[in-house]
Amino acid sequence: MSVFTLSQDAKEAALLPELVALTERHRRACLPYRRILDAIGAVGPYERVADLPWLPVRLFKTHELRSVPESAVFRVLTSSGTTGQRPSRVYLDREAAAAQPRMLAATLRAVLGERRLPMLIVDSRSTIRAATLSARGAGVLGMMHFGRDHTFVLDEGGELDAEAVKGFLARHGGAPYLIFGFTFMVWSHLRELDLSQGVLIHSGGWKRLAEQAVDNATFRRRLGEECGLRRIHDFYGMVEQIGTVFLEGPDGGGLYCPDFADVVIRDPETWQEAPPGVPGLIEVVSTLPTSYPGHVLLTEDLGVVHGVDDGVWPGKRFSVLGRLPRAEARGCSDTSARSAA
């Protein structure tokens, strides 16, 4: 069953009551969250998704935010923290931990189909063997659930393992197969192979490509010309809303929101919702975070909605433009952090 079915009006009608109920659930169960809502006077009623109170995503680096008893915590997820910065910590009970892979699979099924495909991983096996798993390694491990006959493109030294790739293509190159990698790694290592039957899922690494003047359109065009790779899908997601990914459509015209999630673009000066075509801060909403108050989060990424109900899938069609300079996002986050203390 597809999770890209709802028009924007239908999605708003479906999401709003669920998100309102989650807001009240977390208000009752998570004391720091309740203090934040009390401090900002968030009492409702909420007439639109954009009216719901949001948390700055960085609060998960500084505060323990969970809506289940400590004894019910089944798994704690951590993000990759930059030097000198604490990682985010996300608390899942068994219900939330089970929903995450199920909904991620439903989202990716839109481009991968029902069956697990042979999988080419644009990385080294050492990435998933490290004693402390990096965000990259965690991403690879997570995606491996959606493939079979996993073959790593790079050897232990990080160089192209031509024999391994040649063997994989000999076994599977005549039918669809899954390719997964981080964007810069794909650009660096896959551009001289015949990948015409592949389905590429990729994410991250755009900063390094931007330094080479490579944007998404160039990325897609060059991989098509040089590798025969036409089925290419970027995605946007984060550990603070684990299981929710915003997936690029088949035509490369933007990222789309699954039926259980949405984005709001906010003006960083007024915090009001920005109209299509006007860049602002990306707010991500999802009904999946039931064990912690991560259902409405203001990220530190800039984005823009290109259109609504005008693409290959219904709903908002948007792009991520890059990271907001940290100093510009400080005011809102600091205010909320003080309220939660």
mmCIF file of all heavy atoms in Angstrom, residues 144-193:
data_model
loop_
_atom_site.group_PDB
_atom_site.id
_atom_site.type_symbol
_atom_site.label_atom_id
_atom_site.label_comp_id
_atom_site.label_asym_id
_atom_site.label_seq_id
_atom_site.Cartn_x
_atom_site.Cartn_y
_atom_site.Cartn_z
ATOM 1 N N MET A 144 20.359 -1.889 5.012
ATOM 2 C CA MET A 144 20.638 -3.271 4.629
ATOM 3 C C MET A 144 19.427 -4.174 4.813
ATOM 4 O O MET A 144 19.310 -5.216 4.158
ATOM 5 C CB MET A 144 21.848 -3.803 5.410
ATOM 6 C CG MET A 144 23.169 -3.241 4.925
ATOM 7 S SD MET A 144 24.611 -3.770 5.912
ATOM 8 C CE MET A 144 24.718 -5.506 5.441
ATOM 9 N N HIS A 145 18.492 -3.785 5.673
ATOM 10 C CA HIS A 145 17.279 -4.573 5.871
ATOM 11 C C HIS A 145 16.431 -4.638 4.608
ATOM 12 O O HIS A 145 15.601 -5.540 4.467
ATOM 13 C CB HIS A 145 16.439 -3.983 7.015
ATOM 14 C CG HIS A 145 17.084 -4.077 8.356
ATOM 15 N ND1 HIS A 145 17.286 -5.276 9.013
ATOM 16 C CD2 HIS A 145 17.591 -3.129 9.176
ATOM 17 C CE1 HIS A 145 17.879 -5.057 10.173
ATOM 18 N NE2 HIS A 145 18.075 -3.760 10.290
ATOM 19 N N PHE A 146 16.625 -3.687 3.704
ATOM 20 C CA PHE A 146 15.782 -3.624 2.509
ATOM 21 C C PHE A 146 16.430 -4.292 1.300
ATOM 22 O O PHE A 146 15.894 -4.234 0.200
ATOM 23 C CB PHE A 146 15.446 -2.160 2.194
ATOM 24 C CG PHE A 146 14.774 -1.472 3.337
ATOM 25 C CD1 PHE A 146 15.468 -0.581 4.134
ATOM 26 C CD2 PHE A 146 13.455 -1.745 3.648
ATOM 27 C CE1 PHE A 146 14.852 0.035 5.220
ATOM 28 C CE2 PHE A 146 12.835 -1.145 4.730
ATOM 29 C CZ PHE A 146 13.534 -0.250 5.518
ATOM 30 N N GLY A 147 17.586 -4.926 1.496
ATOM 31 C CA GLY A 147 18.259 -5.580 0.387
ATOM 32 C C GLY A 147 18.697 -6.985 0.745
ATOM 33 O O GLY A 147 18.536 -7.448 1.880
ATOM 34 N N ARG A 148 19.288 -7.667 -0.237
ATOM 35 C CA ARG A 148 19.851 -9.003 -0.030
ATOM 36 C C ARG A 148 21.122 -9.122 -0.864
ATOM 37 O O ARG A 148 21.401 -8.258 -1.687
ATOM 38 C CB ARG A 148 18.839 -10.087 -0.425
ATOM 39 C CG ARG A 148 18.372 -10.021 -1.880
ATOM 40 C CD ARG A 148 17.338 -11.096 -2.175
ATOM 41 N NE ARG A 148 16.805 -10.974 -3.522
ATOM 42 C CZ ARG A 148 17.388 -11.461 -4.627
ATOM 43 N NH1 ARG A 148 18.549 -12.121 -4.525
ATOM 44 N NH2 ARG A 148 16.832 -11.314 -5.810
ATOM 45 N N ASP A 149 21.863 -10.181 -0.638
ATOM 46 C CA ASP A 149 23.157 -10.371 -1.299
ATOM 47 C C ASP A 149 23.968 -9.069 -1.258
ATOM 48 O O ASP A 149 24.393 -8.530 -2.278
ATOM 49 C CB ASP A 149 22.982 -10.848 -2.754
ATOM 50 C CG ASP A 149 24.313 -11.338 -3.353
ATOM 51 O OD1 ASP A 149 25.271 -11.571 -2.581
ATOM 52 O OD2 ASP A 149 24.402 -11.455 -4.587
ATOM 53 N N HIS A 150 24.173 -8.552 -0.051
ATOM 54 C CA HIS A 150 24.824 -7.257 0.142
ATOM 55 C C HIS A 150 26.266 -7.294 -0.365
ATOM 56 O O HIS A 150 27.052 -8.145 0.055
ATOM 57 C CB HIS A 150 24.807 -6.869 1.617
ATOM 58 C CG HIS A 150 23.439 -6.904 2.216
ATOM 59 N ND1 HIS A 150 23.006 -7.936 3.022
ATOM 60 C CD2 HIS A 150 22.395 -6.052 2.105
ATOM 61 C CE1 HIS A 150 21.757 -7.706 3.397
ATOM 62 N NE2 HIS A 150 21.364 -6.570 2.858
ATOM 63 N N THR A 151 26.600 -6.383 -1.230
ATOM 64 C CA THR A 151 27.945 -6.290 -1.796
ATOM 65 C C THR A 151 28.463 -4.881 -1.597
ATOM 66 O O THR A 151 27.788 -3.909 -1.992
ATOM 67 C CB THR A 151 27.941 -6.652 -3.291
ATOM 68 O OG1 THR A 151 27.460 -7.996 -3.441
ATOM 69 C CG2 THR A 151 29.337 -6.539 -3.885
ATOM 70 N N PHE A 152 29.653 -4.749 -0.994
ATOM 71 C CA PHE A 152 30.237 -3.437 -0.732
ATOM 72 C C PHE A 152 31.104 -3.016 -1.914
ATOM 73 O O PHE A 152 31.936 -3.785 -2.404
ATOM 74 C CB PHE A 152 31.049 -3.460 0.559
ATOM 75 C CG PHE A 152 30.192 -3.525 1.793
ATOM 76 C CD1 PHE A 152 29.676 -4.744 2.231
ATOM 77 C CD2 PHE A 152 29.873 -2.374 2.499
ATOM 78 C CE1 PHE A 152 28.872 -4.812 3.363
ATOM 79 C CE2 PHE A 152 29.068 -2.429 3.633
ATOM 80 C CZ PHE A 152 28.564 -3.652 4.061
ATOM 81 N N VAL A 153 30.914 -1.783 -2.351
ATOM 82 C CA VAL A 153 31.632 -1.246 -3.510
ATOM 83 C C VAL A 153 33.096 -0.976 -3.181
ATOM 84 O O VAL A 153 33.969 -1.098 -4.033
ATOM 85 C CB VAL A 153 30.937 0.042 -4.004
ATOM 86 C CG1 VAL A 153 31.776 0.775 -5.043
ATOM 87 C CG2 VAL A 153 29.560 -0.296 -4.572
ATOM 88 N N LEU A 154 33.395 -0.633 -1.922
ATOM 89 C CA LEU A 154 34.760 -0.261 -1.528
ATOM 90 C C LEU A 154 35.397 -1.364 -0.702
ATOM 91 O O LEU A 154 34.723 -2.070 0.058
ATOM 92 C CB LEU A 154 34.746 1.044 -0.726
ATOM 93 C CG LEU A 154 34.037 2.237 -1.368
ATOM 94 C CD1 LEU A 154 34.176 3.464 -0.478
ATOM 95 C CD2 LEU A 154 34.571 2.520 -2.764
ATOM 96 N N ASP A 155 36.705 -1.489 -0.835
ATOM 97 C CA ASP A 155 37.429 -2.450 -0.015
ATOM 98 C C ASP A 155 37.733 -1.845 1.352
ATOM 99 O O ASP A 155 37.319 -0.717 1.664
ATOM 100 C CB ASP A 155 38.700 -2.921 -0.731
ATOM 101 C CG ASP A 155 39.689 -1.780 -1.013
ATOM 102 O OD1 ASP A 155 39.620 -0.727 -0.317
ATOM 103 O OD2 ASP A 155 40.529 -1.934 -1.911
ATOM 104 N N GLU A 156 38.457 -2.562 2.193
ATOM 105 C CA GLU A 156 38.726 -2.100 3.553
ATOM 106 C C GLU A 156 39.536 -0.815 3.582
ATOM 107 O O GLU A 156 39.510 -0.062 4.550
ATOM 108 C CB GLU A 156 39.456 -3.193 4.338
ATOM 109 C CG GLU A 156 38.646 -4.468 4.545
ATOM 110 C CD GLU A 156 37.433 -4.263 5.435
ATOM 111 O OE1 GLU A 156 37.523 -3.471 6.381
ATOM 112 O OE2 GLU A 156 36.392 -4.900 5.185
ATOM 113 N N GLY A 157 40.265 -0.547 2.517
ATOM 114 C CA GLY A 157 41.051 0.687 2.442
ATOM 115 C C GLY A 157 40.306 1.857 1.828
ATOM 116 O O GLY A 157 40.882 2.938 1.644
ATOM 117 N N GLY A 158 39.027 1.649 1.484
ATOM 118 C CA GLY A 158 38.231 2.729 0.925
ATOM 119 C C GLY A 158 38.403 2.918 -0.570
ATOM 120 O O GLY A 158 37.957 3.932 -1.131
ATOM 121 N N GLU A 159 39.019 1.939 -1.241
ATOM 122 C CA GLU A 159 39.200 2.018 -2.688
ATOM 123 C C GLU A 159 38.160 1.146 -3.383
ATOM 124 O O GLU A 159 37.624 0.197 -2.803
ATOM 125 C CB GLU A 159 40.613 1.557 -3.076
ATOM 126 C CG GLU A 159 41.731 2.379 -2.454
ATOM 127 C CD GLU A 159 41.711 3.825 -2.917
ATOM 128 O OE1 GLU A 159 41.365 4.064 -4.097
ATOM 129 O OE2 GLU A 159 42.023 4.710 -2.099
ATOM 130 N N LEU A 160 37.888 1.446 -4.651
ATOM 131 C CA LEU A 160 36.909 0.696 -5.427
ATOM 132 C C LEU A 160 37.334 -0.782 -5.512
ATOM 133 O O LEU A 160 38.448 -1.099 -5.932
ATOM 134 C CB LEU A 160 36.791 1.279 -6.836
ATOM 135 C CG LEU A 160 35.810 0.570 -7.778
ATOM 136 C CD1 LEU A 160 34.375 0.765 -7.291
ATOM 137 C CD2 LEU A 160 35.960 1.094 -9.207
ATOM 138 N N ASP A 161 36.428 -1.666 -5.110
ATOM 139 C CA ASP A 161 36.658 -3.102 -5.216
ATOM 140 C C ASP A 161 36.035 -3.567 -6.530
ATOM 141 O O ASP A 161 34.886 -4.038 -6.570
ATOM 142 C CB ASP A 161 36.028 -3.824 -4.021
ATOM 143 C CG ASP A 161 36.407 -5.293 -3.947
ATOM 144 O OD1 ASP A 161 36.815 -5.841 -4.993
ATOM 145 O OD2 ASP A 161 36.280 -5.888 -2.867
ATOM 146 N N ALA A 162 36.796 -3.410 -7.607
ATOM 147 C CA ALA A 162 36.263 -3.656 -8.944
ATOM 148 C C ALA A 162 35.780 -5.088 -9.128
ATOM 149 O O ALA A 162 34.753 -5.337 -9.778
ATOM 150 C CB ALA A 162 37.323 -3.312 -9.990
ATOM 151 N N GLU A 163 36.487 -6.049 -8.536
ATOM 152 C CA GLU A 163 36.095 -7.446 -8.697
ATOM 153 C C GLU A 163 34.767 -7.744 -8.015
ATOM 154 O O GLU A 163 33.930 -8.480 -8.537
ATOM 155 C CB GLU A 163 37.202 -8.358 -8.170
ATOM 156 C CG GLU A 163 38.451 -8.370 -9.026
ATOM 157 C CD GLU A 163 38.154 -8.766 -10.467
ATOM 158 O OE1 GLU A 163 37.457 -9.800 -10.667
ATOM 159 O OE2 GLU A 163 38.579 -8.038 -11.382
ATOM 160 N N ALA A 164 34.574 -7.166 -6.822
ATOM 161 C CA ALA A 164 33.314 -7.387 -6.102
ATOM 162 C C ALA A 164 32.142 -6.802 -6.884
ATOM 163 O O ALA A 164 31.087 -7.436 -7.021
ATOM 164 C CB ALA A 164 33.389 -6.775 -4.712
ATOM 165 N N VAL A 165 32.334 -5.605 -7.424
ATOM 166 C CA VAL A 165 31.262 -4.957 -8.197
ATOM 167 C C VAL A 165 30.993 -5.736 -9.481
ATOM 168 O O VAL A 165 29.831 -5.956 -9.865
ATOM 169 C CB VAL A 165 31.626 -3.494 -8.497
ATOM 170 C CG1 VAL A 165 30.559 -2.864 -9.385
ATOM 171 C CG2 VAL A 165 31.774 -2.702 -7.202
ATOM 172 N N LYS A 166 32.068 -6.161 -10.132
ATOM 173 C CA LYS A 166 31.921 -6.935 -11.375
ATOM 174 C C LYS A 166 31.136 -8.225 -11.108
ATOM 175 O O LYS A 166 30.239 -8.598 -11.875
ATOM 176 C CB LYS A 166 33.295 -7.258 -11.946
ATOM 177 C CG LYS A 166 33.260 -8.023 -13.261
ATOM 178 C CD LYS A 166 34.684 -8.271 -13.770
ATOM 179 C CE LYS A 166 34.662 -9.094 -15.056
ATOM 180 N NZ LYS A 166 36.038 -9.356 -15.557
ATOM 181 N N GLY A 167 31.452 -8.893 -10.015
ATOM 182 C CA GLY A 167 30.742 -10.122 -9.664
ATOM 183 C C GLY A 167 29.275 -9.862 -9.371
ATOM 184 O O GLY A 167 28.395 -10.633 -9.784
ATOM 185 N N PHE A 168 28.991 -8.776 -8.640
ATOM 186 C CA PHE A 168 27.600 -8.427 -8.330
ATOM 187 C C PHE A 168 26.813 -8.176 -9.608
ATOM 188 O O PHE A 168 25.698 -8.689 -9.780
ATOM 189 C CB PHE A 168 27.564 -7.185 -7.433
ATOM 190 C CG PHE A 168 26.174 -6.709 -7.104
ATOM 191 C CD1 PHE A 168 25.519 -7.167 -5.973
ATOM 192 C CD2 PHE A 168 25.510 -5.803 -7.929
ATOM 193 C CE1 PHE A 168 24.226 -6.740 -5.663
ATOM 194 C CE2 PHE A 168 24.225 -5.362 -7.633
ATOM 195 C CZ PHE A 168 23.582 -5.837 -6.490
ATOM 196 N N LEU A 169 27.378 -7.394 -10.526
ATOM 197 C CA LEU A 169 26.675 -7.065 -11.763
ATOM 198 C C LEU A 169 26.504 -8.295 -12.650
ATOM 199 O O LEU A 169 25.511 -8.421 -13.370
ATOM 200 C CB LEU A 169 27.415 -5.953 -12.504
ATOM 201 C CG LEU A 169 27.420 -4.589 -11.792
ATOM 202 C CD1 LEU A 169 28.266 -3.586 -12.561
ATOM 203 C CD2 LEU A 169 25.995 -4.067 -11.610
ATOM 204 N N ALA A 170 27.461 -9.212 -12.582
ATOM 205 C CA ALA A 170 27.315 -10.455 -13.346
ATOM 206 C C ALA A 170 26.134 -11.269 -12.825
ATOM 207 O O ALA A 170 25.407 -11.905 -13.598
ATOM 208 C CB ALA A 170 28.605 -11.264 -13.265
ATOM 209 N N ARG A 171 25.929 -11.252 -11.504
ATOM 210 C CA ARG A 171 24.830 -12.010 -10.909
ATOM 211 C C ARG A 171 23.491 -11.320 -11.063
ATOM 212 O O ARG A 171 22.460 -11.962 -11.269
ATOM 213 C CB ARG A 171 25.102 -12.236 -9.406
ATOM 214 C CG ARG A 171 26.311 -13.098 -9.096
ATOM 215 C CD ARG A 171 26.361 -13.490 -7.619
ATOM 216 N NE ARG A 171 26.372 -12.358 -6.708
ATOM 217 C CZ ARG A 171 27.483 -11.705 -6.338
ATOM 218 N NH1 ARG A 171 28.661 -12.057 -6.842
ATOM 219 N NH2 ARG A 171 27.426 -10.710 -5.474
ATOM 220 N N HIS A 172 23.496 -9.982 -10.930
ATOM 221 C CA HIS A 172 22.218 -9.270 -10.786
ATOM 222 C C HIS A 172 22.002 -8.132 -11.784
ATOM 223 O O HIS A 172 20.938 -7.495 -11.758
ATOM 224 C CB HIS A 172 22.126 -8.686 -9.375
ATOM 225 C CG HIS A 172 22.296 -9.683 -8.287
ATOM 226 N ND1 HIS A 172 21.420 -10.727 -8.088
ATOM 227 C CD2 HIS A 172 23.257 -9.800 -7.311
ATOM 228 C CE1 HIS A 172 21.814 -11.446 -7.042
ATOM 229 N NE2 HIS A 172 22.919 -10.912 -6.558
ATOM 230 N N GLY A 173 22.955 -7.839 -12.631
ATOM 231 C CA GLY A 173 22.881 -6.635 -13.463
ATOM 232 C C GLY A 173 21.807 -6.633 -14.521
ATOM 233 O O GLY A 173 21.526 -5.584 -15.115
ATOM 234 N N GLY A 174 21.159 -7.768 -14.755
ATOM 235 C CA GLY A 174 20.141 -7.807 -15.787
ATOM 236 C C GLY A 174 18.741 -7.495 -15.305
ATOM 237 O O GLY A 174 17.794 -7.465 -16.099
ATOM 238 N N ALA A 175 18.563 -7.264 -14.015
ATOM 239 C CA ALA A 175 17.250 -6.975 -13.427
ATOM 240 C C ALA A 175 17.431 -5.880 -12.374
ATOM 241 O O ALA A 175 18.558 -5.573 -11.979
ATOM 242 C CB ALA A 175 16.659 -8.238 -12.811
ATOM 243 N N PRO A 176 16.337 -5.284 -11.893
ATOM 244 C CA PRO A 176 16.472 -4.205 -10.905
ATOM 245 C C PRO A 176 17.203 -4.650 -9.641
ATOM 246 O O PRO A 176 17.019 -5.769 -9.158
ATOM 247 C CB PRO A 176 15.020 -3.828 -10.591
ATOM 248 C CG PRO A 176 14.278 -4.163 -11.836
ATOM 249 C CD PRO A 176 14.934 -5.423 -12.348
ATOM 250 N N TYR A 177 18.048 -3.777 -9.132
ATOM 251 C CA TYR A 177 18.751 -3.997 -7.874
ATOM 252 C C TYR A 177 18.874 -2.661 -7.164
ATOM 253 O O TYR A 177 18.770 -1.591 -7.771
ATOM 254 C CB TYR A 177 20.126 -4.623 -8.107
ATOM 255 C CG TYR A 177 21.006 -3.877 -9.082
ATOM 256 C CD1 TYR A 177 21.854 -2.844 -8.662
ATOM 257 C CD2 TYR A 177 20.991 -4.192 -10.437
ATOM 258 C CE1 TYR A 177 22.651 -2.157 -9.555
ATOM 259 C CE2 TYR A 177 21.777 -3.510 -11.346
ATOM 260 C CZ TYR A 177 22.605 -2.492 -10.902
ATOM 261 O OH TYR A 177 23.383 -1.803 -11.794
ATOM 262 N N LEU A 178 19.086 -2.726 -5.852
ATOM 263 C CA LEU A 178 19.159 -1.535 -5.010
ATOM 264 C C LEU A 178 20.605 -1.082 -4.861
ATOM 265 O O LEU A 178 21.499 -1.901 -4.625
ATOM 266 C CB LEU A 178 18.565 -1.850 -3.640
ATOM 267 C CG LEU A 178 18.778 -0.842 -2.499
ATOM 268 C CD1 LEU A 178 18.166 0.507 -2.837
ATOM 269 C CD2 LEU A 178 18.197 -1.393 -1.193
ATOM 270 N N ILE A 179 20.819 0.213 -5.011
ATOM 271 C CA ILE A 179 22.112 0.833 -4.708
ATOM 272 C C ILE A 179 21.869 1.826 -3.587
ATOM 273 O O ILE A 179 20.956 2.650 -3.659
ATOM 274 C CB ILE A 179 22.692 1.585 -5.918
ATOM 275 C CG1 ILE A 179 22.734 0.691 -7.158
ATOM 276 C CG2 ILE A 179 24.079 2.143 -5.596
ATOM 277 C CD1 ILE A 179 23.033 1.462 -8.442
ATOM 278 N N PHE A 180 22.664 1.748 -2.523
ATOM 279 C CA PHE A 180 22.549 2.727 -1.448
ATOM 280 C C PHE A 180 23.918 3.308 -1.129
ATOM 281 O O PHE A 180 24.919 2.590 -1.049
ATOM 282 C CB PHE A 180 21.985 2.110 -0.170
ATOM 283 C CG PHE A 180 22.017 3.065 0.992
ATOM 284 C CD1 PHE A 180 21.129 4.121 1.054
ATOM 285 C CD2 PHE A 180 22.959 2.936 1.997
ATOM 286 C CE1 PHE A 180 21.176 5.033 2.105
ATOM 287 C CE2 PHE A 180 23.010 3.837 3.051
ATOM 288 C CZ PHE A 180 22.112 4.896 3.102
ATOM 289 N N GLY A 181 23.940 4.624 -0.934
ATOM 290 C CA GLY A 181 25.170 5.271 -0.512
ATOM 291 C C GLY A 181 24.931 6.725 -0.188
ATOM 292 O O GLY A 181 23.896 7.299 -0.542
ATOM 293 N N PHE A 182 25.894 7.326 0.497
ATOM 294 C CA PHE A 182 25.803 8.747 0.760
ATOM 295 C C PHE A 182 26.240 9.504 -0.490
ATOM 296 O O PHE A 182 27.109 9.050 -1.244
ATOM 297 C CB PHE A 182 26.601 9.106 2.006
ATOM 298 C CG PHE A 182 25.924 8.585 3.241
ATOM 299 C CD1 PHE A 182 26.132 7.280 3.669
ATOM 300 C CD2 PHE A 182 25.011 9.370 3.920
ATOM 301 C CE1 PHE A 182 25.471 6.770 4.771
ATOM 302 C CE2 PHE A 182 24.337 8.871 5.030
ATOM 303 C CZ PHE A 182 24.561 7.575 5.456
ATOM 304 N N THR A 183 25.608 10.620 -0.733
ATOM 305 C CA THR A 183 25.655 11.279 -2.028
ATOM 306 C C THR A 183 27.075 11.491 -2.538
ATOM 307 O O THR A 183 27.384 11.174 -3.693
ATOM 308 C CB THR A 183 24.909 12.629 -1.946
ATOM 309 O OG1 THR A 183 23.596 12.396 -1.410
ATOM 310 C CG2 THR A 183 24.791 13.273 -3.303
ATOM 311 N N PHE A 184 27.955 12.003 -1.693
ATOM 312 C CA PHE A 184 29.321 12.268 -2.143
ATOM 313 C C PHE A 184 30.047 10.977 -2.487
ATOM 314 O O PHE A 184 30.846 10.943 -3.437
ATOM 315 C CB PHE A 184 30.086 13.038 -1.070
ATOM 316 C CG PHE A 184 31.478 13.416 -1.504
ATOM 317 C CD1 PHE A 184 31.678 14.473 -2.378
ATOM 318 C CD2 PHE A 184 32.574 12.704 -1.060
ATOM 319 C CE1 PHE A 184 32.950 14.815 -2.801
ATOM 320 C CE2 PHE A 184 33.855 13.037 -1.467
ATOM 321 C CZ PHE A 184 34.047 14.097 -2.346
ATOM 322 N N MET A 185 29.776 9.906 -1.736
ATOM 323 C CA MET A 185 30.414 8.620 -2.011
ATOM 324 C C MET A 185 29.964 8.079 -3.369
ATOM 325 O O MET A 185 30.767 7.540 -4.145
ATOM 326 C CB MET A 185 30.073 7.610 -0.913
ATOM 327 C CG MET A 185 30.417 8.060 0.480
ATOM 328 S SD MET A 185 32.169 7.905 0.847
ATOM 329 C CE MET A 185 32.302 6.133 1.045
ATOM 330 N N VAL A 186 28.692 8.209 -3.666
ATOM 331 C CA VAL A 186 28.169 7.768 -4.966
ATOM 332 C C VAL A 186 28.851 8.535 -6.083
ATOM 333 O O VAL A 186 29.324 7.962 -7.078
ATOM 334 C CB VAL A 186 26.638 7.973 -5.021
ATOM 335 C CG1 VAL A 186 26.107 7.733 -6.429
ATOM 336 C CG2 VAL A 186 25.938 7.051 -4.020
ATOM 337 N N TRP A 187 28.932 9.859 -5.932
ATOM 338 C CA TRP A 187 29.545 10.701 -6.955
ATOM 339 C C TRP A 187 31.025 10.346 -7.151
ATOM 340 O O TRP A 187 31.528 10.354 -8.276
ATOM 341 C CB TRP A 187 29.414 12.159 -6.545
ATOM 342 C CG TRP A 187 29.990 13.147 -7.518
ATOM 343 C CD1 TRP A 187 31.171 13.816 -7.414
ATOM 344 C CD2 TRP A 187 29.393 13.581 -8.742
ATOM 345 N NE1 TRP A 187 31.359 14.642 -8.491
ATOM 346 C CE2 TRP A 187 30.277 14.527 -9.324
ATOM 347 C CE3 TRP A 187 28.203 13.280 -9.396
ATOM 348 C CZ2 TRP A 187 30.001 15.155 -10.535
ATOM 349 C CZ3 TRP A 187 27.923 13.910 -10.599
ATOM 350 C CH2 TRP A 187 28.815 14.835 -11.151
ATOM 351 N N SER A 188 31.695 9.983 -6.085
ATOM 352 C CA SER A 188 33.134 9.735 -6.144
ATOM 353 C C SER A 188 33.486 8.371 -6.729
ATOM 354 O O SER A 188 34.558 8.205 -7.310
ATOM 355 C CB SER A 188 33.748 9.846 -4.743
ATOM 356 O OG SER A 188 33.542 11.126 -4.196
ATOM 357 N N HIS A 189 32.587 7.368 -6.580
ATOM 358 C CA HIS A 189 32.998 5.999 -6.887
ATOM 359 C C HIS A 189 32.165 5.269 -7.937
ATOM 360 O O HIS A 189 32.578 4.187 -8.375
ATOM 361 C CB HIS A 189 32.984 5.169 -5.599
ATOM 362 C CG HIS A 189 33.935 5.653 -4.561
ATOM 363 N ND1 HIS A 189 35.303 5.515 -4.662
ATOM 364 C CD2 HIS A 189 33.723 6.293 -3.377
ATOM 365 C CE1 HIS A 189 35.894 6.034 -3.606
ATOM 366 N NE2 HIS A 189 34.950 6.514 -2.803
ATOM 367 N N LEU A 190 31.025 5.804 -8.339
ATOM 368 C CA LEU A 190 30.153 5.012 -9.212
ATOM 369 C C LEU A 190 30.050 5.525 -10.649
ATOM 370 O O LEU A 190 29.251 5.003 -11.409
ATOM 371 C CB LEU A 190 28.731 4.961 -8.622
ATOM 372 C CG LEU A 190 28.476 4.024 -7.456
ATOM 373 C CD1 LEU A 190 26.989 3.874 -7.235
ATOM 374 C CD2 LEU A 190 29.101 2.652 -7.689
ATOM 375 N N ARG A 191 30.829 6.475 -11.041
ATOM 376 C CA ARG A 191 30.537 7.159 -12.288
ATOM 377 C C ARG A 191 31.122 6.502 -13.537
ATOM 378 O O ARG A 191 30.949 7.023 -14.632
ATOM 379 C CB ARG A 191 30.994 8.607 -12.185
ATOM 380 C CG ARG A 191 30.142 9.402 -11.202
ATOM 381 C CD ARG A 191 30.743 10.718 -10.833
ATOM 382 N NE ARG A 191 31.029 11.523 -11.999
ATOM 383 C CZ ARG A 191 31.899 12.517 -12.003
ATOM 384 N NH1 ARG A 191 32.583 12.797 -10.906
ATOM 385 N NH2 ARG A 191 32.105 13.222 -13.091
ATOM 386 N N GLU A 192 31.774 5.346 -13.407
ATOM 387 C CA GLU A 192 32.312 4.685 -14.593
ATOM 388 C C GLU A 192 31.798 3.251 -14.701
ATOM 389 O O GLU A 192 32.443 2.395 -15.298
ATOM 390 C CB GLU A 192 33.845 4.707 -14.557
ATOM 391 C CG GLU A 192 34.417 6.119 -14.608
ATOM 392 C CD GLU A 192 35.940 6.125 -14.585
ATOM 393 O OE1 GLU A 192 36.530 5.025 -14.546
ATOM 394 O OE2 GLU A 192 36.518 7.218 -14.605
ATOM 395 N N LEU A 193 30.623 2.986 -14.153
ATOM 396 C CA LEU A 193 30.041 1.649 -14.161
ATOM 397 C C LEU A 193 28.725 1.663 -14.922
ATOM 398 O O LEU A 193 28.038 2.686 -14.970
ATOM 399 C CB LEU A 193 29.800 1.165 -12.725
ATOM 400 C CG LEU A 193 31.019 1.121 -11.793
ATOM 401 C CD1 LEU A 193 30.566 0.883 -10.364
ATOM 402 C CD2 LEU A 193 31.991 0.053 -12.239
#
